[in-house]
Amino acid sequence: MATLDDIAKMAGVSATTVSRVINNYGSLSEKTKTKVFAAMKELNYQPNSLARSLKGKKTQLIGVILPGVGNPFFGQMVEEIENQLFNKDFRIILCNAGNDAKKERAYLRMLIANRVDGIIAGSHNLNIEEYQKADLPIISFDRYLSENIPIVSSDNYQGGQLAAQALLASGSKKLQIITGRNRPNSPTNDRLNGFKNIIKQHDLQLDLTEIDFSATPNIKSLKIKELLAKKTIDGIFCTDDLTSLLVMRQAKNLNISIPNDLRLVGYDGTNFIQDYHPELTTIMQPISDIVTMMIDLLLKRIDDPECQLEKNYTLPVKLIAGTSTI
Amino acid sequence: MATLDDIAKMAGVSATTVSRVINNYGSLSEKTKTKVFAAMKELNYQPNSLARSLKGKKTQLIGVILPGVGNPFFGQMVEEIENQLFNKDFRIILCNAGNDAKKERAYLRMLIANRVDGIIAGSHNLNIEEYQKADLPIISFDRYLSENIPIVSSDNYQGGQLAAQALLASGSKKLQIITGRNRPNSPTNDRLNGFKNIIKQHDLQLDLTEIDFSATPNIKSLKIKELLAKKTIDGIFCTDDLTSLLVMRQAKNLNISIPNDLRLVGYDGTNFIQDYHPELTTIMQPISDIVTMMIDLLLKRIDDPECQLEKNYTLPVKLIAGTSTI
DNA sequence: TATAAAATGTCAAACGTTTAACAAAAATAT
DNA sequence: ATATTTTTGTTAAACGTTTGACATTTTATA
C-alpha cells in the first residue's frame, strides 16, 4: 500500500510538500499540486487514517449504539443517521447492543479505544455507569445516561395525549393500553402518562397490560388473543406499531372488526408502517428531525467539548390517521 | 486520556512491561500483572487502537456495504453480521450505499483509508471498478464484483423453482411474475429462470411485470392494482416479500380473495415476515447461514490473503408455506 | 553458594502522518 | 540588477504503541 513517501518520490517532491498538498496548507504552485495529484492517482493512494488520527486529526468516526437494527424504527433511524453523517464526512461504527448490558459496555470501551469522535446512544440498557466516565461527546436518544449527556427525544407525553384523543374521538369507551414492561425512566412511561391525563378527564374504563419488550411475537400474540377474546374492550393504544400489527392480526382471527368493534392506535409511524400498513392510526416520531438534532448537537460538542447544551431536546410528534380509528 | 506511559508510571514498571502485559508476551510474574491491571483499571485505560494498528496490528474493523438497512432483509442481515462479528471480536463500519454508485466508491476509498481488515459487500450498484484494485479481503453477497472476490448467495434458481411448484400445487394456471427492473447479472434473474424452468413443462399462461426496485410503494401499488384489476391471473410470484405485501393489500381492496381467487408466493422470508405476516407463502433465504459463510471466508482471507477460495458458494433456500397458497 | 532460569528494565527503531522552524531556490516586482 | 515574495526542501519531533536486542535484577534449583 502506497505511503506518502512513495508519492513524494514518484512526484519528485518532498514528503512535506505532499502533505501540504493533501492538507491544502502552505503555499503551493499549481504545477506541483498537479504532479502530486497525478502520483496519488497513479499509485491509488489513500492517506492512512490511522496515522493521521494518531497525529491528532479527528477520526471522522461516530459510534452508534442502538438496541438493534432489525426493528424498523431503529433501522430507519440508523439509515437516517448514516445518511446525514455521510454528507458531513463522518462514518459510523454500528453497535447493536440488544438487551445486553455487558455487550453495551464492551462496545463503549471499544469505541473509546478506537478514538471515535463521538457517540450517539439509544440503547435500552440501564445503569451503564461507563457513560459517566467516558470523556467524549455523547448524545442520547430518549434515555437518561448521565448528568451532562443531552437527551433528544420526541414528545412522548404529547404522543400519549394524541393517542387518547384519537380513541376518544372514535367513540371508544373501554380502553386498553398495551405496552412493554415498564422500566423506571422509560420513555413509554410518558406515553402512558399523556394518555391517562386525557382519559382521566372522562369517566372511562382503562386497563393496562404489560408485555415484555423482548418477548417473541408469538408470545405477544398469545397474550393479545387472551385479551381480545374477553371482548370487553373497544379501544387499544399500543406503545409501538409492531405490537399493533399483532393486535390487528388477532382481531381478524377472532372476527373482531377494526374499526367497527375495536379501534386501535399505534406508536412510531415509521416509513415502513406508513407504506405497508397505512390503515393503522399511529403517532409518528419525527425520526429525521430527531437525527438532525442529535447530529447537530454532537458536532457542536465535537467542535467545542466545553459548549453548554440543554439537558433535553423534545420534538413534536404527529398523529397519522388511518382507518383503525374511524 | 491515559497512555501506556501513564500506566507504566503508576504501576512503577517500564512501558515495555505494560505492553508485555497487554499483549501477554514474554515472561511475567503474577505480581506485576496484577499491578499493571490495577493501574489500567484505576486510570480507565484503553490502549489506543490507532497506534496499535499503525504498528501493524489488525484494526478489527470490517466494512459492510449494503443497499440500506431500512429494508427488513438487509436489516436482519446487518444484525446477523454484527452479532457474529462481535463474537469474533470484530466491529463493523456500516455503509449504506443505496443506489448511489458514487457513494459506494467514496465508501470504498474510505474503508481502505481506514485500513479495515476486510469488507463484506452486497450493494446493488454495478461496475464499481474500484473493487478490482482494492487490495484487501472482500466477500460479496449475491453480486459479481471482480474476478477473485467470492460470491456467497442463496440458491436463487432453486428458489424460483420452489415458488413455481407452490403455485402449481395450488392449482394456479394463469401466472404472473412481479420483479424489480432486471439488470444484467442480477440474482433475481436466476429466480425467474428457476421459475420458468418449472412452468415451461406445463402449458400455462405466464406474464412478467417489471417494477423498478427503487419505485415508492405507492407507485408499485398503483401498477399492482392495474394488474389485478384485469382479473386475468390466479397466481403471482413476487421476487421480494415487501412487494407481496402490497399485492395482498391491493387484492383486498379489489375484493380478490387470497388464496381462493389468487395465490401468492413471495421471496426472502425474513424473521419480520415470518413473525408479522405468516400468511404469506415465501422462499426463505438462510440469512444466518449466508452470514456465517461470508464471515468464515472473510476471516480465512484475512488470516491468509493468498488462500484460494471458490468463486461461488450457494446455500439452499426453503419454502415457508403460508395460507397465501392454499 | 554458585548457577541457571525467570522477570524486568533500558533503549531504540518503527508504523505513516502532521507540523513547525528554518533554509534555499525560483519567480516576480522594482 | 536587486529586493521581495512565493514556492519548495530539509530536518526533526511528535502521536501511542509494539517489538527486538540486550542488560540487569530477582527467584528458584542444585
Side-chain angles (χ1 to χ4, degrees), chain A residues 1-2 41 44-51 53-54 59 61 67-72 74-76 78-80 82-83 86 90-97 102-104 106-107 109-110 112-115 130 133-135 217-218 220-221 240 242-243 245-246 249 252 272 275-279, chain B residues 1-2 41 44-51 53-54 59 61 67-72 74-76 78-80 82-83 86 90-97 102-104 106-107 109-110 112-115 130 133-135 217-218 220-221 240 242-243 245-246 249 252 272 275-279:
Chain A
M1 187 137 292
K41 175 153 271 175
N44 201 14
Y45 171 73
Q46 295 298 334
N48 186 326
S49 300
L50 303 170
S53 303
L54 184 57
T59 53
L61 287 171
V69 83
N71 180 307
F74 289 108
Q76 190 180 331
V78 169
E79 201 157 300
E80 190 72 36
E82 190 273 338
N83 255 307
F86 180 83
F90 283 87
R91 265 70 62 178
I92 70 178
I93 295 185
L94 180 67
C95 313
N96 289 339
K102 203 186 288 176
K103 192 174 177 193
E104 181 159 356
Y107 258 135
R109 273 198 302 281
M110 178 279 291
I112 293 172
N114 275 82
R115 301 303 191 262
E130 279 83 348
K133 292 194 219 153
D135 184 27
N218 279 332
K220 285 185 184 171
S221 292
D240 75 278
L242 292 185
T243 304
L245 296 187
L246 298 178
R249 173 167 302 275
K252 196 174 171 197
F272 177 80
D275 287 340
Y276 293 93
H277 296 281
E279 75 277 17
Chain B
M1 187 137 292
K41 176 153 270 176
N44 201 13
Y45 171 73
Q46 296 297 334
N48 185 327
S49 301
L50 303 169
S53 304
L54 185 55
T59 54
L61 287 172
V69 84
N71 180 307
F74 289 108
Q76 190 179 331
V78 169
E79 201 157 299
E80 191 73 36
E82 189 274 339
N83 255 305
F86 180 83
F90 283 88
R91 264 72 60 178
I92 70 178
I93 295 185
L94 180 66
C95 313
N96 289 339
K102 202 185 289 178
K103 192 175 177 192
E104 182 159 356
Y107 257 134
R109 274 199 302 280
M110 179 278 292
I112 293 172
N114 275 83
R115 300 303 190 263
E130 278 84 347
K133 291 194 219 155
D135 184 28
N218 279 332
K220 285 185 184 171
S221 291
D240 75 279
L242 292 186
T243 305
L245 295 188
L246 298 178
R249 173 168 301 275
K252 197 173 170 200
F272 178 80
D275 286 340
Y276 293 92
H277 296 280
E279 75 277 16

Side-chain angles (χ1 to χ4, degrees), chain B residues 7-19:
Chain B
I7 306 298
K9 253 172 235 157
M10 171 149 222
V13 299
S14 72
T16 303
T17 302
V18 176
S19 182

Side-chain angles (χ1 to χ4, degrees), chain B residues 135-137 148 299-309:
Chain B
D135 184 28
L136 80 174
N148 61 343
L299 296 190
K300 264 196 194 120
R301 268 274 162 90
I302 290 174
D303 250 30
D304 168 19
E306 305 303 317
C307 82
Q308 278 306 308
L309 302 175

Side-chain angles (χ1 to χ4, degrees), chain A residues 189-207:
Chain A
N189 290 344
D190 276 340
R191 296 181 195 168
L192 300 191
N193 293 336
F195 192 88
K196 290 175 185 164
N197 166 269
I198 296 291
I199 298 302
K200 77 172 173 215
Q201 298 161 20
H202 302 70
D203 187 28
L204 298 172
Q205 168 192 330
L206 172 61
D207 272 324

